[in-house]
Each structure stands twice: as C-alpha cells, then as structure tokens.
C-alpha cells in the first residue's frame, strides 16, 4: 500500500477530440481535490506537458495522431515510474488495453465510465494502486491475467478455506446474495469476507479480484 497522503491531485489529460476534453474538464471541475492542469491533443503534446507540469496523474486516450497513448505511456512510465497513468479506451479495444498496461499504465477506463468511477480511478492510481474499469468483460479479465502485466509480482496473500470458496464463487459471477444462500451465510458476512479478500489482494473491485485469483491459481476459468 502507498504511504501517500491524499491531498490535491494535479491531472494532465490527452485526447484528440476537443468535445471529449470539454466534457472531461467539466467532470473534474466539480471535484475540489482534483485539478486538470493541462490538456493535450496527441502523445507528443502530452509528453511536453508532463515534462513542464509534472502532474500526479495522466489520463490519456489510447488512439491518437502523431504519437498514440501506448508509446507516450512507455516513455512517461520510464521517466516517471511513480506517476499514475490511466488509459482511455473504447469498449472493443481489448488488445490495446493490454498493450497500455504492459507499457506502464496503472489503470484503464472505458470512455463511457461515469463521473464517480473517473474520480475513483484517479484517486486509486494517485495512491500508486491499480485501477481496473468496472465494466471489464470476462474476456478482457482473462487477457489481463495472462498478460505480462502483474502489479503484485510474486506477492501472494494467505487465504482460508472459506475465503477461497468465496473467491471462486465471485469469479463465477455469483452475487453476494447467491453466495450467502449457497454457503448458508448472511449477506453481511459475505460482504465482510469480500472486503477482507480485496484488502488482502490490494484490489479495489471485483475485476481486480478476478485478475488476482487467475494470476495466483486461485481460480481457473477453463475448469468452470
């Protein structure tokens, strides 16, 4: 876990569509802790802006002219390894998201993510943790788990028998209520287990939990 104290977070964003940048600026303007300090229309402009402004977090479209988000991320993550970079993607760009993560991004969002998720993603990568978009498909989850992107390295938490049982059911998309019924537990107990599991894995949501479970052989999607 990061020891950073959350304060004001300076953000630079890059997207070649001015209308999208306008909407993004409006989204961030309503949050007093997050400041959009610069905007770029391509990867080259983004690198120049980051050099000048040294933001805490960068949010960049993956597909852009002159230099795409993947190449810009590769350069920026080498120069500023602690900087939180978030890739912005369309829903059908799974391979590009993988490339982005392998290039050094600490998270990704689909372009239709809501305001609350955008804020959560920014705060997560600012804390030097990984953010997986909530709308991630099971296909993309498996691609991430099998890719070179492994933010946890060989670190593996210890889980009890009941926790492993719950992890496997979560990975099979059972709801808390369904897990509670299946294991003869209360919904509140299952919620408590889920929070404790995510804390041990150092992940923020179900997508992160499933990626971790596959990478650490706690769940095999091919055996379901």
């Amino acid at each position: 876990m990061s020891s950073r104290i959350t304060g004001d977070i300076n953000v630079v964003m890059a997207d070649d569509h001015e209308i999208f940048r306008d909407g993004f600026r409006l989204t961030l303007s309503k949050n007093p802790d997050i400041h959009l300090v610069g905007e770029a229309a391509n990867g080259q402009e983004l690198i120049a802006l980051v050099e000048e402004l040294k933001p805490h977090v960068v949010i960049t479209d993956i597909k852009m002219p002159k230099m795409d988000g993947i190449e810009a991320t590769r350069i920026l993550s080498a120069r500023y390894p602690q900087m939180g970079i978030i890739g912005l993607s369309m829903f059908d760009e799974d391979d590009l998201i993988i490339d982005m993560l392998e290039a050094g991004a600490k998270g990704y969002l689909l372009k239709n993510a809501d305001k609350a998720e955008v804020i959560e993603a920014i705060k997560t990568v600012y804390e030097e943790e990984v953010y997986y978009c909530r709308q991630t498909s099971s296909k993309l989850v498996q691609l991430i788990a099998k890719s070179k992107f492994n933010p946890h390295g060989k670190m593996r938490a210890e889980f009890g028998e009941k926790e492993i049982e719950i992890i496997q059911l979560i990975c099979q998309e059972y709801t808390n209520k369904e897990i509670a019924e299946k294991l003869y537990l209360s919904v509140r107990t299952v919620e408590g287990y889920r929070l404790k599991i995510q804390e041990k894995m150092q992940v923020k949501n179900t997508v992160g939990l499933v990626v971790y479970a596959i990478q650490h052989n706690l769940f095999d999607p091919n055996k379901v």
Side-chain angles (χ1 to χ4, degrees), residues 24 27-28 59 109 113-123:
F24 205 86
T27 295
L28 296 191
I59 300 177
L109 286 168
D114 62 34
K115 178 193 164 190
E117 184 165 22
V118 170
I119 300 301
E120 187 185 1
I122 290 170
K123 289 184 174 178

Side-chain angles (χ1 to χ4, degrees), residues 129-224:
E129 295 175 22
V130 175
Y131 191 84
Y132 301 95
C133 184
R134 288 185 214 138
Q135 299 173 69
T136 304
S137 67
S138 55
K139 178 188 160 213
L140 178 53
V141 167
Q142 291 184 47
L143 285 173
I144 294 169
K146 290 168 188 167
S147 73
K148 292 179 194 147
F149 179 73
N150 184 359
H152 305 287
K154 290 190 167 65
M155 183 208 85
R156 176 172 169 163
E158 291 299 316
F159 298 98
E161 204 174 306
K162 187 67 72 182
E163 288 176 322
I164 289 171
E165 211 174 345
I166 289 171
I167 288 166
Q168 290 176 344
L169 291 171
I170 291 170
C171 290
Q172 292 172 67
E173 298 181 28
Y174 281 75
T175 64
N176 286 351
K177 187 170 181 289
E178 289 166 341
I179 294 170
E181 287 167 1
K182 200 170 177 68
L183 301 181
Y184 305 103
L185 300 168
S186 71
V187 173
R188 182 168 284 189
T189 300
V190 173
E191 287 168 354
Y193 268 114
R194 186 189 275 259
L195 282 173
K196 194 175 173 192
I197 289 163
Q198 287 185 194
E199 210 172 275
K200 283 186 180 183
M201 292 179 174
Q202 295 183 17
V203 298
K204 291 285 186 183
N205 56 25
T206 303
V207 177
L209 185 153
V210 179
V211 169
Y212 182 104
I214 295 172
Q215 285 183 332
H216 292 83
N217 302 312
L218 295 167
F219 175 70
D220 185 348
N222 299 316
K223 290 184 179 173
V224 178

